[in-house]
Amino acid sequence: AGAQQSATVANPVSGGSADLLPRFLLEPEDVYIVKNKPVSLACRATPATQIYFKCNGEWVHQGDHVMQHSTDRSTGLPVMEVRIDISRQQVEKIFGLEEYWCQCVAWSSSGTTKSQKAFVRIAYLRKNFEQEPTAREVSIEQGIVLPCRPPEGIPPAEVEWLRNEELVDPALDANVYVTPEHSLVVRQARLADTANYTCVAKNIVARRRSASAAITVYVNGGWSTWTQWSACSTSCGRGWQKRSRTCTNPTPLNGGAFCEGQNVQKSACTTLCPVDGAWSEWSKWSVCGAECTHWRSRECSEPAPRNGGQECRGPELETRNCTSELCSHAASGAEDVALYVGLVAVAVCLVLLLLVGVLVYCRKKEGLDADVADSSILTAGFQPVSIKPSKADNLLTIQPDLSSTTMTYQGSLCPRQDGPAKLQLPNGHLLSPLGAGRHTLHHSSPVAEGADFVARLSTQSYFRSLPRGTNNMAYGTFNFLGGRLMIPNTGISLLIPPDAIPRGKIYEVYLTLHKQEEVRLPLAGCQTLLSPIVSCGPPGVLLTRPAILAMGHCVEASAENWSIRLKKQSCEGTWEDVLQLGMEPCSELYYCQLEAHACYIFTEQLGRFALVGESLSMAASKRLKLVLFAPAACPSLEYNIRVYCLSDTQDVLKEVIQLEKQMGGQLIGAPRVLHFKDSYHNLRLSIHDMPSSLWKSKLLASYQEIPFYHIWSGLQPYLHCTFTLERLSPSTCELACKIWIWQVEGDGQSFTINFNIAKDTRFSDWLIPDSDVGSPALVGPSAFKIPFLIRQKIISSLDTPCARGADWRTLAQKLNLESHLGFFASKPSPTAMILNLWEARHFPNGNLSQLAAAVAEVGKQDSGLFSEAEC
C-alpha cells in the first residue's frame, strides 16, 4: 500500500491506445455535513487497476477505502468503484485554514487520471436574522417595502414570505415581488394586503422564522358630493334651508383620518308670503251715454294679488240707467266729449316723446368714457420723440401739447357695455363702484413714485382686493404714447402700445402678481394652474388697441394632450373662460399666443388673468423645477437639505429664493427640470451614497413622497421635502451624496451633491435674469425698441393689401407668426399687432437689425429707416 501511495504517474506506452487511460464514469461531488452525520464520496473509473482518494493534498489510508470490482459488458474492460466516508472531525481539523476537498486518482497500465475536486463543508444556519420586517401603517395605494436579511448559513438560506401563514407567490400576484436582497415589495397597497407578514429562511440544516410584522392599510375618508338644498323651513317669511354630505367617498377604514370640515351647511332663505288682492275705491260715475247709461269702475290694486295670493272677487265694472234729464244732456254733448278726449290723447303723446328724448340724452351722456379724465394734454414728463430720419418729408411728425392741467372723472370702474363684442361687467363685491362723487387725478410725473401711487390708489374701493406690498407690483402713468410695466425677476410684463390710450387722456395703470393663497381659483376635475395669477388695471377700462400681458407657464403643450383656457375674474369675483387656445376666439377682446415657456395675452380690457389647463390623456405633462437648498452654516450635528418641487416659472423661483434668503439657506447646484406626467403617480425622493462612517440619515423610511394632486393642481407653490442628516463627528464638514427624484413608474432625476458645509458660501445670484434688470415702469419711446415715427411709417406701408403679397401677411411669415393671421386680420391695423407682439417678445434685448432685414425682404424700400433710426 505504501508503494502504491507513493507511486508516480507512469508515461503511456509508446504507440499505446489513448483508450487505455482511466476514464471516470462517476466523479465525487460537493457535499454538506449536517450535524455529526458523516458523508460519503464515491468515484468509478474504467479501465483502472487502482483508485485512491487524496484529501487536502494527502492520500487517504487504504483501509478507509471500500472498493468494488466489475466488468463493463459493452467493452469488456474492468471497472473499479471506490467509496470513502468523511466525518465532521476530519473537516474541523483544518477549519479556518482552507476549505476541505477530496479528489480521486485512478491508475492503469498507460498512466493516471484525476477526477474533479469535491468540497466538503459543514452545513449550519444561525438563529438570528440580520434584519427583520417591522410593523407599519400605510395609506391605500401607497407602496410598501418589507426588508428581510436572513441569518448567516451554509449553504445560503433561501427566503420565502408568508402572509397570514400562507405563502406569498409573486407569480400569482403581479402587485408584489421579492428583490434580490430578499425584501418584499408591494407596489400599491390594497385593503387585502392588511395582514401579518413573516420572513422564512431555510436550508438543509434548519428553517428559521422572523418576527411577524403587522401591516395595516388604512383609508382616509373623503366627502361625498353635497345633496340638493332642502326646501325652505317656512312657507312664508325668513327661514333656513340645509344640505349635507357624508364621509363615504371613501369611508375611513383601519384607523384612517375622518373627513375634515362640516357635513351640514345651512343657508338663510326667504319665502315670499302670498298677498290677496283687494279692490280700490269706485271711480266716479261717467257722463250719461247715448244709450242713457253711465258706468263706474274699480281695480284690484289695493293691494294687487302677488306671490300666489287670491284675486279680488266681484265685478270691476258697474253700469246703471241714467234719469231722462241726464240722458238728454249726455246725448246733446256726446260730440264735445269725443273732442276733449282726442285733445287729451295728443297732449299725453307729446309728453311721452319729450320724456323719451330726455332719457336718451342722459343715457348717451352716461355712456361716455367715465373711467378716465378727459384732457388734451400730456404730462410735463413726456418729451417728444427726437429722431432724425433720412426721409423727413415721408415721416409722420407729432407735436405733443405740453400744457398741464388737473383732470377729473366720474363713474364706475365696471361700465355697462352695449356693444355685441364687449363683455358686460356689472358692479360687484370684487370691483366696487367709485361712488357718485367726483374724483381728481392730480398731475404727476410720467413714472409715479410707488408710495404716492399706492397712497392715491388706496382711496379707490377696488384696491382692497390687491396685495399691499410693492414687491410684486409695478405702477405707471401713461398717455397715448404707451409704455411698459415689468415685475422684476418674474417674466411678467404689460405692454401698452401707442394709441391704445385715447389722445387727451392719461391712465394710471398697475401690474400685480398674486400669490395663490391670496386669490381663490376653483379647479375642477383634471384642471391645473399653468401660470401665475396676474392683475392689471384699473379693471373694466377698455383700450382702443389691445395691450399685451406676458407671463410664464409650465406646460408641455400639444393639441392632443391638453385643453388650455384663459380665465378672467369678473366683477362679481367668479372666474370665467374667455378664450380656449387652439379654438376660434369667442370674443374679439382677447387672444393668446402660447410659446415654449411664455404666453402673450392680447386684451382690450384690463383685469385678473390666469392660464388653466385640463389634461386629455395621461401623456400630458407639466414642467417642474427641482431646486436644492441647505444652510450655509451648521452649528449643530443635524443638517437639513430642502428639495423644492416648483412649477417651472420665474415668479415661483423668485419667491423661493427670497424665502431661503430669510432662512439663511444657500443654493446647492443648478436647478433641474422634471416632466411630471398626469399618471396619478406620486413624486418620490430618496437620498443615497452617503459615507456611512461620517453621516447618517434620520429618515425612517427609504423615501419620501409628495402626493400627485398636491403637485398637479399647481395651487401649492412651495412644495418641498426635507432630508435631515446627522454628523457622527462635529469635525465633519464635507458632504457627498445623491438625491434621487422620480415619479413612480416614470423617469427620474438625480442630484449629485458634493460641498463643504463649513464654508460660508454666498447666495447664488445667477438665477436673476439680466433681462429683468431695470425700471419696472417705462413710459413713451423708452419702452419700445422700434422708434415711434419709424413704426408709423411701417404700419402705413404694410397695412395696405398688396397683390404681390408684399404686405403685413408676408412680414408675419418672416417672423414665424403665420398661424395668427386670422387674429391680425381682425384688427384695424394688422401690422401694428405684429410689431406690438415683436416688442413684447424681444424687449429689451431684441435685434432691430433682424427685424429690419425681415421688412426689407417684404420688398419695401423704406425698411432702411430702421438701421438709420437705431444709430
Side-chain angles (χ1 to χ4, degrees):
Q4 290 175 349
Q5 292 175 10
S6 62
T8 59
V9 177
N11 293 325
V13 178
S14 178
S17 174
D19 292 339
L20 296 179
L21 283 172
R23 178 171 57 90
F24 283 97
L25 304 177
L26 174 66
E27 296 187 71
E29 297 180 349
D30 295 344
V31 292
Y32 294 96
I33 297 178
V34 180
K35 298 183 180 179
N36 292 322
K37 296 180 180 179
V39 295
S40 295
L41 297 178
C43 63
R44 185 186 312 120
T46 181
T49 58
Q50 296 179 20
I51 300 179
Y52 290 99
F53 273 96
K54 179 184 286 188
C55 294
N56 280 66
E58 297 181 359
W59 294 102
V60 179
H61 194 274
Q62 182 181 7
D64 295 332
H65 292 73
V66 177
M67 297 186 181
Q68 182 178 356
H69 297 272
S70 62
T71 302
D72 191 342
R73 295 181 179 180
S74 60
T75 61
L77 296 175
V79 177
M80 179 176 287
E81 181 177 348
V82 65
R83 187 180 305 272
I84 64 172
D85 292 333
I86 305 296
S87 66
R88 184 185 182 107
Q89 290 76 10
Q90 291 176 269
V91 177
E92 288 179 342
K93 286 181 180 179
I94 61 166
F95 180 76
L97 300 178
E98 58 181 1
E99 288 190 297
Y100 193 92
W101 59 269
C102 293
Q103 186 180 36
C104 245
V105 181
W107 278 266
S108 71
S109 59
S110 297
T112 61
T113 303
K114 294 181 180 180
S115 70
Q116 67 182 8
K117 288 183 178 180
F119 290 91
V120 181
R121 300 180 178 92
I122 299 175
Y124 66 93
L125 183 62
R126 305 289 187 200
K127 291 184 179 181
N128 297 325
F129 281 74
E130 295 185 8
Q131 185 178 12
E132 294 184 290
T134 56
R136 291 184 58 190
E137 293 183 355
V138 297
S139 62
I140 194 167
E141 295 186 355
Q142 181 180 342
I144 306 174
V145 178
L146 293 175
C148 176
R149 294 174 60 188
E152 179 186 356
I154 294 179
E158 298 178 356
V159 172
E160 61 185 18
W161 284 88
L162 300 179
R163 179 196 289 133
N164 288 343
E165 301 303 322
E166 294 184 2
L167 181 65
V168 177
D169 189 354
L172 301 178
D173 188 354
N175 193 44
V176 300
Y177 67 92
V178 179
T179 66
E181 294 79 19
H182 309 299
S183 296
L184 179 66
V185 178
V186 181
R187 291 185 172 91
Q188 289 184 322
R190 305 157 299 190
L191 291 176
D193 294 321
T194 298
N196 292 324
Y197 290 82
T198 308
C199 180
V200 178
K202 61 181 181 179
N203 64 3
I204 61 175
V205 177
R207 174 187 174 97
R208 311 291 188 200
R209 292 168 55 97
S210 70
S212 295
I215 299 299
T216 302
V217 180
Y218 62 86
V219 179
N220 291 325
W223 289 114
S224 65
T225 57
W226 288 102
T227 61
Q228 296 294 328
W229 287 103
S230 64
C232 200
S233 59
T234 61
S235 58
C236 176
R238 184 176 179 84
W240 296 93
Q241 59 182 166
K242 66 178 182 179
R243 63 177 182 175
S244 61
R245 59 181 179 176
T246 57
C247 189
T248 56
N249 187 29
T251 303
L253 294 173
N254 296 336
F258 196 78
C259 305
E260 295 182 0
Q262 297 179 345
N263 64 340
V264 177
Q265 281 186 345
K266 287 186 177 182
S267 176
C269 57
T270 302
T271 304
L272 297 177
C273 300
V275 177
D276 296 335
W279 292 112
S280 64
E281 295 291 335
W282 286 103
S283 65
K284 292 183 179 181
W285 289 102
S286 66
V287 179
C288 211
E291 298 179 356
C292 293
T293 60
H294 61 174
W295 54 270
R296 66 177 182 176
S297 65
R298 58 181 179 177
E299 295 180 352
C300 189
S301 60
E302 292 187 1
R306 60 182 181 269
N307 306 330
Q310 295 182 359
E311 295 284 343
C312 300
R313 295 182 180 181
E316 62 181 355
L317 184 66
E318 187 178 64
T319 61
R320 70 180 180 180
N321 292 331
C322 307
T323 62
S324 58
E325 182 181 356
L326 292 176
C327 182
S328 60
H329 178 75
S332 62
E335 294 181 359
D336 294 338
V337 171
L339 177 62
Y340 295 150
V341 171
L343 291 176
V344 171
V346 170
V348 170
C349 290
L350 290 176
V351 171
L352 290 176
L353 288 175
L354 180 61
L355 291 176
V356 170
V358 171
L359 290 175
V360 170
Y361 173 77
C362 293
R363 178 62 58 87
K364 288 184 177 180
K365 186 175 181 180
E366 290 178 358
L368 297 177
D369 188 1
D371 299 301
V372 296
D374 293 333
S375 174
S376 60
I377 59 94
L378 300 175
T379 60
F382 292 131
Q383 300 297 329
V385 181
S386 177
I387 299 176
K388 186 178 181 182
S390 60
K391 298 180 181 181
D393 53 343
N394 293 329
L395 297 180
L396 301 178
T397 60
I398 300 175
Q399 299 296 331
D401 183 4
L402 300 180
S403 60
S404 61
T405 186
T406 299
M407 296 142 287
T408 61
Y409 65 92
Q410 181 180 14
S412 168
L413 288 178
C414 293
R416 180 177 298 170
Q417 305 165 17
D418 300 326
K422 299 179 180 180
L423 297 179
Q424 184 174 356
L425 295 175
N427 293 328
H429 70 278
L430 179 65
L431 303 173
S432 303
L434 294 179
R438 298 182 64 83
H439 306 270
T440 301
L441 284 176
H442 299 284
H443 179 72
S444 63
S445 62
V447 181
E449 293 294 335
D452 296 339
F453 195 102
V454 173
R456 189 161 58 257
L457 195 65
S458 62
T459 62
Q460 313 300 336
S461 58
Y462 63 82
F463 185 74
R464 298 169 187 169
S465 64
L466 299 178
R468 293 296 180 264
T470 59
N471 187 31
N472 288 329
M473 296 186 74
Y475 314 88
T477 305
F478 302 92
N479 66 347
F480 76 94
L481 290 176
R484 184 188 306 267
L485 290 175
M486 298 174 292
I487 302 178
N489 307 326
T490 63
I492 299 172
S493 65
L494 177 68
L495 176 73
I496 305 174
D499 293 324
I501 299 175
R503 294 182 180 244
K505 295 185 179 180
I506 296 176
Y507 287 176
E508 289 186 327
V509 182
Y510 64 83
L511 179 66
T512 302
L513 167 64
H514 294 274
K515 296 181 180 180
Q516 278 82 351
E517 59 268 20
E518 297 173 347
V519 179
R520 183 179 181 273
L521 175 61
L523 299 177
C526 298
Q527 289 184 342
T528 173
L529 181 63
L530 302 175
S531 72
I533 301 176
V534 179
S535 289
C536 52
V541 172
L542 284 176
L543 305 174
T544 57
R545 286 176 173 80
I548 301 179
L549 176 63
M551 57 185 179
H553 66 80
C554 61
V555 62
E556 291 294 324
S558 56
E560 65 276 9
N561 295 334
W562 283 98
S563 172
I564 302 176
R565 290 177 170 84
L566 177 66
K567 285 185 174 286
K568 182 176 183 292
Q569 195 171 28
S570 68
C571 290
E572 291 83 3
T574 58
W575 287 89
E576 302 170 348
D577 293 338
V578 296
L579 181 66
Q580 182 173 357
L581 276 64
M583 306 291 289
E584 289 296 328
C586 58
S587 170
E588 296 180 357
L589 293 176
Y590 310 101
Y591 189 78
C592 182
Q593 177 182 341
L594 190 70
E595 297 188 353
H597 291 82
C599 63
Y600 299 91
I601 301 169
F602 293 77
T603 175
E604 296 183 17
Q605 191 174 55
L606 303 182
R608 186 168 296 165
F609 298 92
L611 205 63
V612 171
E614 183 172 0
S615 62
L616 302 179
S617 71
M618 296 181 67
S621 64
K622 293 174 58 176
R623 292 190 313 274
L624 297 184
K625 180 152 289 185
L626 309 177
V627 191
L628 274 66
F629 287 92
C634 184
S636 64
L637 293 179
E638 285 192 357
Y639 194 71
N640 295 324
I641 299 177
R642 292 180 290 277
V643 184
Y644 289 86
C645 303
L646 315 173
S647 297
D648 187 16
T649 55
Q650 292 185 31
D651 59 293
V652 180
L653 185 59
K654 172 188 174 182
E655 292 292 334
V656 172
I657 291 175
Q658 294 175 345
L659 177 64
E660 282 292 332
K661 279 186 176 180
Q662 298 173 1
M663 298 171 59
Q666 68 175 357
L667 182 69
I668 304 177
R672 308 286 180 86
V673 174
L674 174 69
H675 296 279
F676 190 75
K677 294 183 178 181
D678 182 18
S679 62
Y680 301 98
H681 292 299
N682 300 337
L683 194 69
R684 290 184 178 177
L685 304 92
S686 60
I687 188 167
H688 305 275
D689 299 347
M690 278 192 311
S692 58
S693 59
L694 302 176
W695 295 85
K696 72 175 181 178
S697 172
K698 302 190 72 174
L699 183 66
L700 299 179
S702 59
Y703 58 83
Q704 298 188 70
E705 204 165 48
I706 302 178
F708 168 81
Y709 287 105
H710 290 184
I711 299 176
W712 188 255
S713 68
L715 298 178
Q716 302 185 36
Y718 313 134
L719 291 172
H720 70 278
C721 285
T722 300
F723 290 94
T724 301
L725 312 180
E726 184 177 359
R727 294 184 291 177
L728 301 183
S729 170
S731 61
T732 301
C733 59
E734 293 287 341
L735 173 60
C737 61
K738 284 185 178 180
I739 292 181
W740 274 97
I741 305 173
W742 76 100
Q743 190 176 9
V744 180
E745 299 186 6
D747 299 330
Q749 295 281 341
S750 77
F751 287 82
T752 301
I753 302 174
N754 192 349
F755 64 101
N756 191 324
I757 64 176
K759 295 181 180 179
D760 186 10
T761 306
R762 188 170 63 88
F763 195 89
S764 300
D765 295 329
W766 64 271
L767 291 171
I768 303 177
D770 296 336
S771 61
D772 281 349
V773 177
S775 174
L778 298 174
V779 178
S782 63
F784 304 97
K785 294 285 292 184
I786 307 172
F788 184 82
L789 298 181
I790 304 302
R791 167 193 172 89
Q792 297 298 103
K793 183 63 178 178
I794 296 175
I795 291 174
S796 62
S797 300
L798 299 186
D799 270 349
T800 305
C802 180
R804 294 176 287 107
D807 55 20
W808 63 270
R809 291 168 295 183
T810 306
L811 178 62
Q813 294 174 356
K814 298 294 182 184
L815 299 178
N816 299 321
L817 300 175
E818 58 272 14
S819 60
H820 309 290
L821 293 180
F823 167 71
F824 297 146
S826 67
K827 298 302 177 183
S829 176
T831 309
M833 295 297 101
I834 297 174
L835 298 181
N836 293 343
L837 181 57
W838 187 91
E839 291 278 10
R841 298 169 66 190
H842 296 90
F843 187 88
N845 300 321
N847 191 334
L848 271 180
S849 300
Q850 294 180 356
L851 180 60
V855 176
E857 292 180 7
V858 177
K860 298 297 181 180
Q861 300 299 325
D862 293 334
S863 63
L865 295 175
F866 264 118
S867 57
E868 297 172 8
E870 186 178 13
C871 297

